[in-house]
Amino acid sequence: MKTIPILYENDEIFIINKPSGIPVQGGVGITHSLDRELPEQTGSSIYLVHRLDQDTAGLMVVAKNPAAAARWTKLIAGHDVRKEYDAVCIGKFTQKAGKITETIEQHGEKRDAVTLFQVKREAFVPCDGSLMLPVSLVRLTLETGRMHQIRIHLAKQGCPVAGDDQHGNFKQNKLLRKAAGVKRLMLAAVTLTIPLNGGLEIFSVPLPEHMQSFYDLYFMSAC
């Protein structure tokens, strides 16, 4: 497996750029996972303080000891940490910016969830025949951290994340796979603002390769 990029390290944490396709936590049938590979790479124990879906790429904070894990779990869940994502969605939004406040059901209980969105680019992907599939590049900021929150919220807006067969549109994903080679979830955690060294520090990463190539081919030409 490829080396996991480390952007920052101190006595408490690593800040990493998790590649798409790597599960955060191991389990039955999982050979390579973040909680197994990162300790082997760094020689340090790690403790998870938040998660990204297996197919979501991008920035994560990982603690080095139990005390740091407890502190950073509280920080991540609070308002001092800002997590921003980019997503390629299928469809066009009726508004260019706004707030999604749909509740999300977890373990049989409905929970409040808030996602801010801003449309950055719009384009069309030529598919079979004369069909032009609309796509949007969207910046998303989480105000809550429910499981699959972004994917569920965008699907409820009628603009699901491209490549999301669980919450999105399987037929449209199949069209995009054939027309544009989209085989992975088009979602990445690209910016993380956290309290460090007495202030707030911002970490940013570029789009993962599979999203950047799509951006260059479709959104750049639409500018």
Side-chain angles (χ1 to χ4, degrees):
M1 196 182 82
K2 293 182 180 179
T3 300
I4 297 169
I6 298 172
L7 278 69
Y8 176 85
E9 176 184 0
N10 63 16
D11 292 338
E12 288 192 330
I13 60 170
F14 294 105
I15 297 177
I16 66 167
N17 184 10
K18 186 188 85 69
S20 172
I22 298 178
V24 169
Q25 196 165 23
V28 177
I30 298 175
T31 304
H32 300 288
S33 61
L34 179 68
D35 64 351
R36 180 175 181 177
E37 298 294 332
L38 191 58
E40 291 184 3
Q41 178 181 320
T42 62
S44 171
S45 298
I46 70 158
Y47 299 81
L48 300 173
V49 298
H50 68 124
R51 301 169 189 273
L52 291 176
D53 295 339
Q54 176 173 334
D55 293 325
T56 302
L59 292 163
M60 282 188 66
V61 177
V62 182
K64 291 184 174 183
N65 57 66
R71 189 170 91 85
W72 280 93
T73 297
K74 291 180 180 179
L75 284 171
I76 292 290
H79 296 290
D80 292 330
V81 172
R82 181 182 175 93
K83 294 179 285 185
E84 298 173 70
Y85 296 71
D86 278 348
V88 174
C89 302
I90 302 173
K92 288 198 174 185
F93 291 74
T94 56
Q95 297 178 310
K96 301 305 180 187
K99 179 187 290 189
I100 306 170
T101 57
E102 297 267 3
T103 59
I104 290 178
E105 186 170 330
Q106 290 185 342
H107 310 296
E109 180 183 353
K110 289 188 176 181
R111 306 188 68 181
D112 292 337
V114 180
T115 306
L116 305 179
F117 72 91
Q118 182 177 8
V119 178
K120 299 172 67 177
R121 294 281 191 275
E122 295 178 329
F124 290 91
V125 177
C127 296
D128 287 337
S130 60
L131 177 63
M132 300 291 284
L133 196 63
V135 290
S136 303
L137 179 68
V138 187
R139 172 61 57 92
L140 303 131
T141 303
L142 292 180
E143 289 196 353
T144 55
R146 311 305 181 201
M147 183 180 293
H148 293 189
Q149 176 175 319
I150 287 174
R151 295 163 63 183
I152 293 170
H153 268 178
L154 291 176
K156 286 185 175 183
Q157 295 298 302
C159 296
V161 179
D164 186 356
D165 284 335
Q166 182 176 354
H167 300 289
N169 187 305
F170 181 81
K171 183 178 179 180
Q172 291 177 333
N173 286 334
K174 187 175 180 180
L175 288 172
L176 270 187
R177 190 177 301 117
K178 183 177 180 181
V182 174
K183 299 177 182 179
R184 297 185 184 182
L185 186 71
M186 302 290 270
L187 177 65
V190 293
T191 301
L192 182 67
T193 304
I194 61 173
L196 272 179
N197 306 318
L200 291 176
E201 295 198 19
I202 301 173
F203 295 86
S204 296
V205 291
L207 292 173
E209 185 177 349
H210 69 288
M211 291 180 66
Q212 185 64 54
S213 59
F214 186 93
Y215 178 92
D216 292 343
L217 186 58
Y218 296 102
F219 291 117
M220 285 295 290
S221 62
C223 292

